[in-house]
Structures are given as structure tokens and as C-alpha cells.
């Protein structure tokens, strides 16, 4: 049962995995976009710097979601998405995909069992050169409703004031709906068993120009096997990357790309609010992961999975987070690519 904001038990220190969670989802909530916060109060530079652990950032790595592994494969569109969007990626056919499984942490050497949030970045390219980039996580909802609230969460979690979290929750009660998932000890034992959710709302634009508010999820074909963080820790600090490498080597792994269509009145600017379960869903195709490659020399290394890089037929909505994420991702990308000497390759790789 979720405790009320007034309960003192609700304000004990969260487990270390939850601290990692708060830091890990930061890349999703940077609160700098024109019209949201003034540059004097908050900038991508300040927020990206705020993600760094006490010893400073891991140079050459992403400032968040730093631990990850590349994959290549295909997205096979079944044609069903074309009813909602004129994007070429939904025309029946098969398109190459470059992706990255990752853990939401600024530490590239973090132990798997210390990070609750797992992520997936994808870049799909169609023959005309258009790209669809997306960065998703396995959480079912976002912890807060808007960028300012996210910044307030980061501030409260880092504060020495014993009442900081209490005051934050009182001002942002929606955070309590996120906690049951965040504190759950029922994790999965593989990247292949996770669903990955956009959380943010976007607009699909069809051939007539009509716009449809949507969210999307990648739903795994693999059946999830529950595991506790304690048991996951026993399998080693890098088990997830080892497991997905072995699993894909034994056979391709599949996810269905499922689009959920909003009803009029559904909240599109608030990723903390789930849409009702009875909303229309459409399976628009299948993602197949065919090969895993270490990130150091892998094809995903220098990709910025900016969620605002969208093909014709998909646009951002009134959700403020994609633009905020784009600004922060750009800052992180520019920093890490300038530090390549600190994360040397063992072979020649191409930047994208």
C-alpha cells in the first residue's frame, strides 16, 4: 500500500538502487527549453554537470545511461501504422536499425543490480534517408509531470534537509504513483525480457493531415523471468550484457512495436499519468535484434538518440520533455565526443 505524504516512514532513505534510479532518469527530464525555465535558473550545462558522481563524469561516455551495449537488426513494418501516419517507416517493408541496450546510470562500470531503470535507444533509417530516433525506458510512467518538477526532485534527492523529500512529495503527489514500480524487487533477468516505453506523447500525422496523439512501446516476445536485485547481483556485475550477447548469438530476439492511441481528453503533456488500459492499440511492426556488439567499437557508440529526430509523419506534441531531452542530449554528446581519447577505440568506428 502506498503511504501518504504525511507518513514518516515514507521519508526514510531510499535503497541505493532508488538513488541510482533518480540519477538514471535524469536525462529524460532536463528542464531547459525556451519558455520553460530561464537560462539564469537552469541550463543543460548545469543539469548535465549535476548528473556527475562526486569524482566527476566518466570522460568519453554518455553523461547518463553510460553503461550500454550496441545491437543491430531490423524493423519490419506490417503496414498497419500507415493508417495513422504517413511516415515511410510504417510502409510495409524491412528497415535497418541500430540500437543500444543500457542502464540508466552515469557510471559505465555500475553493477547491474544497482540500477532499476533499463533503457533502449533505437535509430531506424528508411531508403529515403529519413531517421526515427527514440530513447525508451522500462518504467511504466515517469516520476513527475513536468520539467520543473523533475528539477525539484533532483534537488530534493540531493538535499541534506531531512524534510526535502517530504516537501517535494507534498508538492508533487503524483510521485507516489511511481514509487511502487521503483521500489519493486521483481525485476527481469534479461534486456530481452523488458518492455520499453516512450512515456512521452507524440503526434502521428496521416496522409490527410489529421493528427493522432500516441505513445508507443516495444513489447518483448520473450517471456519475463522474475529475479530479485539480490539474486541478480550473484550473477555478476555485468551479467545483463553477457546474457544478451549469448541469447542473441543463440537466436534473434523480437519485440512488437505497439502504438497506443489517445482518446480526446487524455493527458498528452503529462508522462506521469498513464492512459486508461482500454485505449486502442495497434501493432505496427516487429523489431528484431540480430547481433550484439560491445559499445567501444560498436555502431551505436556515437549515435545521439535524440527523441526529436523524427521522420515526416511524426511530430512532437505538447509534452515538454522531448525538447528538454534534446537540449541535454546535445550537451552530453558534444562533451563525450570531445573526450574520445579518454575512451579509446580498439578499431576504427564511424560516427553518425
Amino acid at each position: 500500500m502506498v503511504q501518504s505524504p504525511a507518513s514518516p516512514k515514507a521519508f526514510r532513505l531510499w535503497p541505493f538502487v532508488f538513488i541510482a534510479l533518480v540519477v538514471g532518469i535524469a536525462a529524460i527530464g532536463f528542464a531547459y527549453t525556451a519558455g520553460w525555465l530561464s537560462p539564469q535558473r537552469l541550463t543543460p550545462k548545469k543539469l548535465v554537470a549535476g548528473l556527475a558522481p562526486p569524482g566527476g563524469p566518466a570522460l568519453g561516455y554518455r553523461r547518463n545511461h553510460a553503461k550500454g551495449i550496441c545491437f543491430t537488426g531490423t524493423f519490419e513494418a506490417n503496414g498497419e501504422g500507415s493508417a495513422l501516419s504517413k511516415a515511410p517507416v510504417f510502409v510495409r517493408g524491412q528497415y535497418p536499425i541500430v540500437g543500444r541496450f543500457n542502464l540508466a546510470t552515469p557510471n559505465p562500470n555500475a553493477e547491474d543490480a544497482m540500477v532499476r531503470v533499463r533503457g533502449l535507444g533505437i535509430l531506424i533509417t528508411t531508403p529515403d534517408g529519413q531517421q526515427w530516433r527514440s530513447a525508451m525506458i522500462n518504467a511504466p510512467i515517469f516520476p513527475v509531470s513536468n520539467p520543473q518538477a523533475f528539477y525539484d526532485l533532483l534537488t530534493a534527492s540531493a538535499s541534506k534537509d531531512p524534510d526535502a523529500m517530504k516537501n517535494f512529495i507534498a508538492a508533487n503527489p503524483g510521485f507516489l504513483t511511481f514509487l511502487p514500480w521503483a521500489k519493486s524487487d521483481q525485476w527481469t533477468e534479461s534486456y530481452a525480457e523488458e518492455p520499453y516505453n516512450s512515456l512521452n506523447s507524440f503526434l502521428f500525422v496521416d496522409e490527410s493531415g489529421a493528427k493522432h496523439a500516441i505513445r508507443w512501446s516495444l513489447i518483448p516476445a520473450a517471456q519475463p523471468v522474475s529475479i530479485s536485485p539480490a539474486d541478480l547481483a550473484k550473477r555478476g556485475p555485468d551479467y545483463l550484457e553477457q546474457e544478451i550477447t549469448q541469447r542473441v548469438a543463440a537466436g534473434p530476439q523480437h519485440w512488437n512495436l505497439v502504438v497506443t492511441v489517445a482518446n480526446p481528453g487524455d493527458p498528452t503533456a503529462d508522462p506521469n499519468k498513464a492512459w486508461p488500459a482500454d485505449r486502442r492499440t495497434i501493432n505496427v511492426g516487429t523489431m528484431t535484434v540480430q547481433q550484439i556488439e560491445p559499445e567501444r567499437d560498436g555502431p551505436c557508440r556515437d549515435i545521439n538518440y535524440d527523441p526529436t529526430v523524427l521522420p515526416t509523419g511524426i511530430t512532437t506534441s505538447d509534452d515538454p520533455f522531448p525538447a528538454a531531452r534534446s537540449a541535454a542530449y546535445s550537451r552530453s554528446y558534444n562533451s563525450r565526443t570531445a573526450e574520445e581519447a579518454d575512451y579509446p577505440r580498439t578499431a576504427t568506428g564511424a560516427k553518425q
Side-chain angles (χ1 to χ4, degrees):
M1 178 177 180
V2 175
Q3 296 175 329
S4 69
S7 172
K9 293 182 180 180
F11 309 114
R12 293 175 179 172
L13 291 176
W14 309 116
F16 288 117
V17 290
F18 182 64
I19 295 174
L21 168 72
V22 171
V23 174
I25 55 182
I28 306 169
F30 289 119
Y32 176 81
T33 52
W36 290 104
L37 295 177
S38 68
Q40 291 74 27
R41 292 181 61 192
L42 190 61
T43 66
K45 179 179 179 179
K46 291 178 182 178
L47 282 166
V48 171
L51 282 171
L59 299 181
Y61 291 85
R62 297 167 199 267
R63 292 307 191 250
N64 195 19
H65 294 259
K67 185 176 184 178
I69 193 165
C70 301
F71 69 82
T72 52
T74 62
F75 173 66
E76 186 166 356
N78 58 23
E80 296 297 318
S82 293
L84 295 175
S85 171
K86 60 185 178 182
V89 72
F90 295 127
V91 175
R92 183 183 294 273
Q94 192 174 91
Y95 310 105
I97 186 168
V98 179
R100 182 176 183 267
F101 295 109
N102 58 80
L103 295 181
T105 170
N107 179 7
N109 300 309
E111 297 184 10
D112 294 345
M114 298 300 292
V115 186
R116 180 68 176 102
V117 173
R118 299 173 187 172
L120 178 74
I122 59 171
L123 184 159
I124 306 173
T125 305
T126 50
D128 61 357
Q130 293 195 59
Q131 294 184 347
W132 183 13
R133 303 191 187 197
S134 180
M136 296 160 275
I137 59 173
N138 59 341
I141 59 172
F142 197 69
V144 294
S145 297
N146 58 70
Q148 179 63 60
F150 187 79
Y151 178 66
D152 293 343
L153 171 59
L154 290 178
T155 302
S157 66
S159 175
K160 296 180 180 180
D161 180 352
D163 292 328
M165 283 302 299
K166 177 181 178 179
N167 295 335
F168 168 79
I169 293 174
N172 300 276
F175 182 66
L176 292 173
T177 64
F178 176 75
L179 286 183
W181 180 86
K183 298 170 71 175
S184 169
D185 64 356
Q186 298 302 301
W187 299 15
T188 69
E189 65 173 9
S190 175
Y191 280 126
E193 298 169 4
E194 292 284 0
Y196 299 98
N197 307 301
S198 71
L199 299 186
N200 300 129
S201 301
F202 292 81
L203 298 176
F204 278 9
V205 184
D206 64 27
E207 290 290 354
S208 73
K211 297 179 179 179
H212 312 271
I214 57 88
R215 292 172 177 171
W216 59 75
S217 298
L218 282 165
I219 308 300
Q223 292 300 306
V225 176
S226 182
I227 189 172
S228 70
D231 287 337
L232 181 61
K234 295 175 184 177
R235 300 188 181 185
D238 304 313
Y239 172 77
L240 291 175
E241 291 188 2
Q242 296 164 2
E243 192 279 339
I244 193 66
T245 300
Q246 295 169 2
R247 184 184 289 235
V248 173
Q253 299 298 302
H254 308 280
W255 284 256
N256 286 330
L257 180 58
V258 176
V259 171
T260 301
V261 184
N263 278 4
D266 285 342
T268 55
D270 187 351
N272 179 248
K273 289 185 171 60
W275 292 346
D278 64 354
R279 292 302 179 257
R280 178 189 176 197
T281 60
I282 304 172
N283 179 357
V284 300
T286 302
M287 180 182 80
T288 299
V289 174
Q290 299 169 325
Q291 184 175 357
I292 301 293
E293 300 180 54
E295 181 188 63
R296 183 177 292 271
D297 298 310
C300 73
R301 171 176 169 143
D302 292 312
I303 295 177
N304 174 4
Y305 290 101
D306 183 337
T308 65
V309 177
L310 302 166
T312 301
I314 307 177
T315 69
T316 54
S317 69
D318 57 349
D319 189 325
F321 282 107
R325 292 168 61 190
S326 179
Y329 287 13
S330 177
R331 178 77 190 185
S332 173
Y333 178 83
N334 291 337
S335 296
R336 65 185 173 87
T337 54
E339 301 159 351
E340 187 169 317
D342 296 286
Y343 183 26
R345 302 169 192 266
T346 57
T348 302
K351 297 183 179 181
Q352 299 190 42

